Amino acid sequence: MTVALIDYGAGNLHSVHNALKAAGAVDVAVTADADAVTKADRIVLPGVGAFGACASGLRAIPGMVEALDQRVLRGGAPFLGVCVGMQLLAKAGEELGTHQGLGWLDGTVRELPADGVRVPHMGWNDVIPLVPHPLIEPGEAYFLHSFAYSGEAVLATTEHGGPVAAAIGRDNFAGVQFHPEKSQRYGLALLERFLRWRP
């Protein structure tokens, strides 16, 4: 089973790679090759930084967005987005202007309101499932973000001055706002479930 970990210049690749291996992945290909993505059994899209820069970095790789659409939306490959990799599932992000996402879900990524809470949202916080999902369990995970998803298909929330999307997804793709690679046992258990997931 090949796991494609997409390298588009905007991810914590080393840590995510190590976490996937620790969770039991044998063949993790760190790749910026669209053809490799179309052949992968599972796909992970990490992301660190601003939404617009990450979206531009992904689109700068020839054929990558098309490969993701083909392999995930039409081919049914299990997909996990992490942090900004989750946010890119939205139609748009409003960080430093409005930028187009992948548009797999009808949602927008907007700045967290600083209503009596610290922004960025940083540290350990509860993940509260809203609906049953094979990947998402209640527990504590590590968050670091200033922008949050708002829209359809929210699977779990966390509390930071009100409910904030912690996980989103539909069918064979999901995303988590927290960092599994920094979430110790909880994060590794999620990655283990992802590697077993048969949507």
Side-chain angles (χ1 to χ4, degrees), residues 4 6-7 30-39 61-64 67:
I6 299 178
D7 179 5
V30 178
T31 184
D33 180 359
D35 286 339
V37 169
T38 63
K39 297 180 178 76
I61 301 173
M64 183 58 80

Side-chain angles (χ1 to χ4, degrees), residues 21-79:
K21 298 287 275 189
V26 175
D27 187 0
V28 182
V30 178
T31 184
D33 180 359
D35 286 339
V37 169
T38 63
K39 297 180 178 76
D41 297 302
R42 294 169 190 273
I43 299 166
V44 177
L45 181 67
V48 175
F51 184 102
C54 290
S56 295
L58 195 61
R59 288 196 168 88
I61 301 173
M64 183 58 80
V65 170
E66 294 79 7
L68 285 169
D69 286 345
Q70 175 187 328
R71 188 70 191 101
V72 180
L73 297 187
R74 295 190 291 279
F79 171 98

Side-chain angles (χ1 to χ4, degrees), residues 153-178:
V154 176
L155 303 174
T157 59
T158 190
E159 283 290 323
H160 192 68
V164 175
I168 64 176
R170 185 172 60 212
D171 303 328
N172 57 305
F173 64 88
V176 293
Q177 182 62 67
F178 53 87

